[in-house]
Amino acid sequence: MVSLTINGKVVRAEEGEYLLAVIRRMGIDVPALCDHAAVEPYGGCRLCMVEITKESWDGWKNYVTACLYPAEQDLIVNTHSEKVIELRTSLLDLFLARNPETPLIQKLAADHGLTKTSFEVVPEPNDCILCGICTRVCDEMGFAAISMVNRGHGREVAPPLNEAPPDCVGCLACAQACPTNYIKFEDIGTTRKIWGREFELLTCEKTGRPTITREFAAFLSKHRDIPEEYFKVNDEAHRDELASTMGRITRWSVQEETK
Amino acid sequence: MRIESEKQLRDYRKKLADADKKLTKKIMVCHGPGCLASGAEKVSEEFEKQLKRKKITGVTVGSIKKTGCHSFCEKSPLVAIEPAQILYTRVKVKDVAEIIEKSIKGDEIIERLVYHDPHSNDAIPKYPDIPFYKHQTRIALRNLGKINACDIDDYIRVGGYEAAAKALLKMTPEGVIDEVTKANLRGRGGGGFPAGRKWKSCRAVESDVRYVVCNGDEGDPGAFMDRAIMEGDPHTVLEGMIIAAFAVGAKDGYIYVREEYPLAVVNLQKAIEQAEAIGLLGDNILGTDFSLHLHINRGAGAFVCGESSALMLSVAGNVGEPRAKYIRSVVKGLWDKPTVLNNVETYANVPMIIANGADWFTSVGAPKNAGTKAFSLVGKVRHTGLIEVPMGTPLRTIIYDIGGGILKDRPFKAVQTGGPSGGCLAEQHLDLSVDFDTLTKHGSMMGSGGMIVMDDRTCMVDVAKYFLSFLVSESCGKCIPCREGLYQLHKLAIAISEGRAQESDIEKMEHLSEMVVTGSLCGLGKSGPNPFLSTIANFRDEYLTHIRDHKCSAGVCKELIKYEIDAEKCDGCMACIAACAFNAISGKKTKPHVIDQELCTKCGACVAACTREAIMVL
Ligand SMILES: Cc1cc2nc3c(=O)[nH]c(=O)nc-3n(C[C@H](O)[C@H](O)[C@H](O)COP(=O)(O)O)c2cc1C
Ligand code: SF4
Ligand code: SF4
Ligand code: FES
């Protein structure tokens, strides 16, 4: 354990634990757009920047991303210094030039007093904030079906060669993790469409409703040792089953007590 | 044969030196990047062909050395005759017979082929007397122009691998680190971080595996120092890495070579095989229990791959994109193991430090900036080429003595150092000494060693715009300050160059720059606003003229200039009419011509065509 000071309060943290986790535990709100619980920190959005110093640094300050900076003994952190807020505001000004119509960005910018970017809006703006969550989640799942392509300002999320990605299993992890709902998909009946591909959804033996794609089920049973039977019912049916079991247990324990 | 002791190395060296002494004359044909591009290979082939036929005592085909860059690229192809130190410039295949006849068989100097002083027109046959060479000191580039580029015997003959033998057989790893620390060898890849300190921290980390890596990505446009070393003296890179690996305790090393340098890959690979064959690399080097295996990686072709975290990811086979981390790579680098990353030129200095000692090294250069630095001197100077000067050399010496002054004796305006994210220094900085600390203090940086000289016809807004556009396209795009911030800076610079900006835009750019510097993830973004910051610091008036008066005083920004023909000077030769692809110029023979502003696209073809300087830029 180490002890450090955040916004004037002394707190304890695991050595090496990232500052963002400690800050959040204290209930302090720091924007962090590229952070996602399922994946390693990335350091792309730069919004979680905080000011750090130490007694021994002779007044020298550094600006680091809280999502990646490990907690250290005697560190003094300021999450909302004047300079930090100015930095965040400028970053959001740049975000607004790239994603002017994106509600998530509009809201954060408004919190920092910005309603309009002071820069030139990029040609053909969209809702992708290039946080890389989708591609990292897909990598983490083990598919790496989509990735960041092109350098610099032309960067975008895309499947290889911009064609329907052969490695995609239609698990929807990317779309569900995307903070701006930029990734489009469609479930119609037992057909799922995403990234230009079409998947067949298995149906639940109990409810008759669609569960997951055949490819995803095959993957999970092959690589994650989940019995194939598990996918014959959907989550809802699993939940129903669980709820009725719970109900039975509750009724049973109440009976036991009253006995 | 394997060399397994210092004595064996010394004996072998003596044998090579004795054989070499039998050659009374040597013909050094430069096979550096510049000379190869202008036909050096044909010249050396011709020498070979003719020497095979002729019998000259003391001269054989072995007298021909295909060397690394001799330095004076502007005069390529170069041929030096040793030991007389005669330098022949712009040598053509048809000159070969005459050189053999007069300077190899005889001792005559062919005046037509030697360097002539541009002012006095005096012939200066010996290269050490040429100002371009006189002010140089060669440590890292010591063997370029002196030995066969890819020949371990030649390298050993001039003392190669002696430093490695000294380190491995007579010194402790700590002793090596101390020596390099005392020599104050600072990283030549740009940052100037002390190599000794880096090695020490790496060795101090508890780990079963450590790596040494060589940064040969050389992404700065126009720079070719590292290329010249890798192609022209690959063994010095290997020897530097052997010493470093011994010092930190690494068993494997990687050389990351820029994609565009296939010859460097070939020569390094050959060098590795040659060194392994005689036991100077691989298992049990020099008969000791120290082993090092070196591997070559081809770069991924992106500027940002030269950045340390991106480079290490790329070596490990991942996408070469900078990784945000606050743990240094000496602790967690390649495959998360402690790793020393140094630049090609940094490694090239190491054998000399070990062989001659730290005191010798610090006797060259400036305080806290020991040794030399190599530069590729390009732009509007009379003499361009690959140079190496003691640190602390004034910019003026480099530009006026070595570089021979500005082309056509036009006024000097600025010198850009430090690569695309370096900075521009102005006239008032000409007496500054060139070292890491001075350049940084004045808003530029050493970078890996590009030096571009600019004359009065260079517009500084245009320069900023050019480098920003390079960085915008080379930014990896991972973090927003660099990706979007540099993009917006570039857009604003375009607006200024087109006369669409307001004065407040300068302030906006300054504010944005500060944010990009503080907020960016890696060194590319952190130094990305430099092209703007250093030009605005030294050339603010020029920016203001663009904004307030809609004028580009250098006559570069197309939107702000127009071409007109000076009727007094025009003799009506019609050359400009022929040159204009847009039929914008009219006029009769011997009568002054006129440019139709509506049709003129400001391509500048007429200016180039006019022999009387009658076309004015307004
Ligand atoms: C965008 C970027 C590009 C770089 N390119 C190079 C390069 O081409 N060659 C190089 O030696 N160092 C380059 N560097 C510096 C390296 O990150 C690193 O500091 C250097 O290789 C360390 O070696 P040294 O201490 O011997 O200079 C680059 C840095 C950045 C931020
Ligand atoms: S698509 Fe969504 S998750 Fe993926 S990078 Fe864009 S905003 Fe982030
Ligand atoms: S600073 Fe630029 S090059 Fe470096 S990580 Fe950020 S976007 Fe990529
Ligand atoms: S959460 Fe985006 S940089 Fe830290």
Side-chain angles (χ1 to χ4, degrees), chain A residues 128-134 148 157 178-180 182-183:
Chain A
C128 178
I129 58 171
L130 294 170
C131 64
I133 290 177
C134 53
M148 288 287 175
V157 175
C178 174
T180 64
Y182 179 62
I183 300 174

Side-chain angles (χ1 to χ4, degrees), chain A residues 41-46 49 62-65 68-70 83 86-87 90-91 94-95 97-99 117-123 129-131 148 150-155, chain B residues 300-304 321 323-327 472-481 483-485 487-488 491-492 500 508 511-512 514-516 518-522 526:
Chain A
Y42 184 64
C45 78
R46 317 303 287 170
M49 282 215 145
N62 197 7
Y63 297 86
V64 298
T65 46
L68 274 155
Y69 200 90
K83 171 107 190 236
E86 195 184 304
L87 207 63
S90 299
L91 286 168
L94 289 173
F95 265 114
R98 175 134 197 154
N99 316 104
T117 177
S118 66
F119 300 108
E120 195 179 303
V121 173
V122 308
I129 58 171
L130 294 170
C131 64
M148 288 287 175
N150 302 333
R151 273 205 296 267
H153 209 253
R155 190 173 170 99
Chain B
F303 176 68
V304 78
E321 203 171 85
R323 186 161 62 146
K325 58 183 178 117
Y326 294 99
I327 303 171
V472 166
S473 59
E474 291 298 327
S475 155
C476 82
K478 178 170 182 172
C479 77
I480 181 146
R483 173 182 12 102
E484 306 299 329
Y487 171 86
Q488 296 291 355
K491 287 273 172 231
L492 287 162
R500 293 185 283 109
K508 189 169 167 183
H511 180 92
L512 177 59
E514 193 195 326
M515 192 278 277
V516 175
T518 323
S520 290
L521 187 158
C522 86
K526 284 183 183 302

